[in-house]
Amino acid sequence: MNTPKQFKKLPLTAALSETFGFSPAVATTVVLSLILVFLLMVFWVVQSSPPRTIALTSGPEDSSFHRWAVSYQQALATHGVKLKILTSGGSQDNLRRLQADDITDAHADIGFVPGGLVKERYLGDVVSLGSVAYQPLFIFYRSPVPFSRLSELAGKRIAVGAKGSGVRILALTLLQANGITGAPTTFVNLDAGAAASALLTGKIDAVFLMGDSAPLPILRSLIRDPNVQMFNFTQAEAYTRRFAYLSKMVLTQGVLDFGKNVPAQDVALIGPTVELVARKGLNTALIDLLIEVAKEVHGNSSILQKRGQFPAPLEHEFPLSEDAVRYYKSGKGLLMSTLHSFWLASLANRILVAVVPLVLILIPTIRFLPVAYRLRILLRLYRHYRPLLRLERDSFGPMTPERLEHLLRRLDEIEAAVNQLKVPASFADRLYLLRSHIAFVRQRLKSPPPAAI
């Protein structure tokens, strides 16, 4: 006669049953739950991996923003991250791309945006990773005598920058603060190259330029032209107090050319700081890496800043990312400092983030489950002792055949309920002890104590 094959338990299921007294169903449920949690953990670790490619919206080619972007691209490549550089018309285009909801070829994950573009504090889907550099505003003009106030540009033909550039917004804001809002002043919308050529040929009288849209060769050509003067912001301190996003900078005498003493005297400049702005939800590990790269690119001294001055957690219109705040307070994590590999450190960190909370939850849970399960089984057994004790108390006193029959019928009901109990093998002694107590009470009922003489 063939006997059916017995279902083979999983090793972990058998261990749970033998160690904690779980029934096969409970043990299997626990094992399947652990497997599901493990699979979810693996899925999260894989899904939360930093992207291999990100896009940065910079500015026109040869602008300072674009040069920075190339440096970022080279630095990120050493860590295995590909940076796609998207040229733009300037800061306003960068902000528009970062706010775009649709995924297009112009979709950007990070970008450079100077302060002052947003009139009110922005609380949308972009955050700041910190300020990375000063963005000085250069004003060049044609005049035989130097100007000391912007109001002296009234009635002139002024190139305020192309549409989509941050310089246009700042230029119009500063001119309006000086009472220049239109006629007889003429505002000309030209990009940096066309505006510089028009100024050099006398077609316009002044031009506003910033590094996000002005290539370095253009700035040099204007500085070296004897017919063109650079505006010195003698009221720089007042501007920085009136407009909180502006900072004062000093282009010191001779810093551009010691031999020719360019500039011939200290020139006060104003301008916003440039923020490295990212979409909300950018991978945490990638934020750490980007700030590390920003330290490499922007951390050195220059003609306008000291070494180590940038990047800095300066908050203007955009809220600082929580991850950026953590980085500026604590620096890069221990894993990144120890492993010296971005991807390995990121993987180790994600595993820790997934495993540590899981362990903190599972260990108490696994310890509590056997206790709760044992208590549940014991309560099921103890529940039958109350009617058994009550029946035994009722057996004392005069016993008639009718009363004996009634008590035995109640005892049969208790015994039938106990026989239907299903308990793990580890609780068999408790079950058999209950049955022996039932047998003891039955024996007492069938053999009443002898009457007293």
Side-chain angles (χ1 to χ4, degrees), residues 41-367:
M41 182 186 71
V42 172
F43 176 78
W44 181 86
V45 169
V46 173
Q47 286 295 107
S48 60
S49 174
R52 294 277 178 176
T53 302
I54 59 173
L56 183 150
T57 177
S58 58
E61 291 188 12
D62 294 329
S63 66
S64 61
F65 284 10
H66 192 270
R67 293 196 302 275
W68 294 345
V70 172
S71 298
Y72 274 65
Q73 187 180 56
Q74 295 170 349
L76 287 172
T78 63
H79 296 281
V81 178
K82 181 180 178 181
L83 181 66
K84 180 181 178 183
I85 300 175
L86 305 174
T87 57
S88 71
S91 304
Q92 214 168 12
D93 280 350
N94 292 349
L95 184 57
R96 198 160 33 239
R97 286 176 176 176
L98 290 165
Q99 293 177 258
D101 294 328
D102 58 327
I103 305 299
T104 64
D105 291 339
H107 173 89
D109 300 294
I110 55 175
F112 299 115
V113 180
L117 289 188
V118 185
K119 297 301 180 184
E120 298 178 359
R121 181 178 174 82
Y122 188 78
L123 298 176
D125 294 329
V126 294
V127 291
S128 172
L129 305 188
S131 296
V132 296
Y134 287 126
Q135 186 62 55
L137 172 67
F138 295 97
I139 303 176
F140 296 96
Y141 60 94
R142 298 179 68 91
S143 174
V145 295
F147 293 162
S148 60
R149 297 186 306 276
L150 284 182
S151 59
E152 296 179 69
L153 293 176
K156 306 292 185 181
R157 296 163 297 174
I158 308 172
V160 293
K163 293 182 178 180
S165 64
V167 65
R168 177 182 173 80
I169 295 176
L170 182 57
L172 294 178
T173 299
L174 296 181
L175 289 171
Q176 184 178 8
N178 283 271
I180 302 175
T181 56
T185 305
T186 303
F187 298 144
V188 182
N189 301 323
L190 295 175
D191 61 23
S197 297
L199 181 65
L200 292 173
T201 57
K203 294 179 180 179
I204 59 175
D205 302 306
V207 59
F208 284 68
L209 297 173
M210 279 204 308
D212 68 327
S213 55
L216 191 58
I218 290 178
L219 294 176
R220 286 174 178 167
S221 65
L222 293 175
I223 291 173
R224 291 172 180 172
D225 192 290
N227 298 315
V228 174
Q229 299 197 51
M230 183 190 303
F231 185 78
N232 182 11
F233 279 89
T234 56
Q235 298 172 315
E237 289 290 347
Y239 279 105
T240 58
R241 296 186 184 185
R242 177 82 172 271
F243 303 99
Y245 57 86
L246 294 178
S247 301
K248 177 184 177 181
M249 294 149 272
V250 177
L251 199 63
T252 55
Q253 179 179 350
V255 71
L256 298 179
D257 192 320
F258 292 117
K260 295 180 180 179
N261 195 31
V262 180
Q265 61 182 7
D266 288 354
V267 178
L269 301 173
I270 62 171
T273 57
V274 181
E275 296 184 55
L276 179 59
V277 178
R279 288 178 177 269
K280 271 188 178 179
L282 188 66
N283 186 273
T284 298
L286 201 54
I287 288 177
D288 288 0
L289 180 60
L290 284 170
I291 299 177
E292 278 291 310
V293 169
K295 289 170 66 176
E296 296 178 22
V297 176
H298 307 284
N300 294 324
S301 60
S302 68
I303 60 175
L304 293 174
Q305 71 185 50
K306 298 177 181 178
R307 181 178 180 85
Q309 189 171 355
F310 292 105
L314 304 177
E315 186 171 331
H316 296 295
E317 292 90 353
F318 304 99
L320 275 170
S321 160
E322 293 181 1
D323 293 313
V325 172
R326 170 191 51 77
Y327 180 93
Y328 286 115
K329 287 183 177 179
S330 308
K332 60 182 178 182
L334 178 63
L335 290 174
M336 187 64 183
S337 302
T338 305
L339 298 177
H340 303 293
S341 168
F342 169 68
W343 292 104
L344 186 58
S346 173
L347 176 61
N349 186 68
R350 297 198 310 277
I351 291 175
L352 285 177
V353 170
V355 169
V356 171
L358 189 63
V359 169
L360 292 177
I361 295 173
L362 282 182
I363 289 179
T365 302
I366 291 175
R367 287 184 175 181

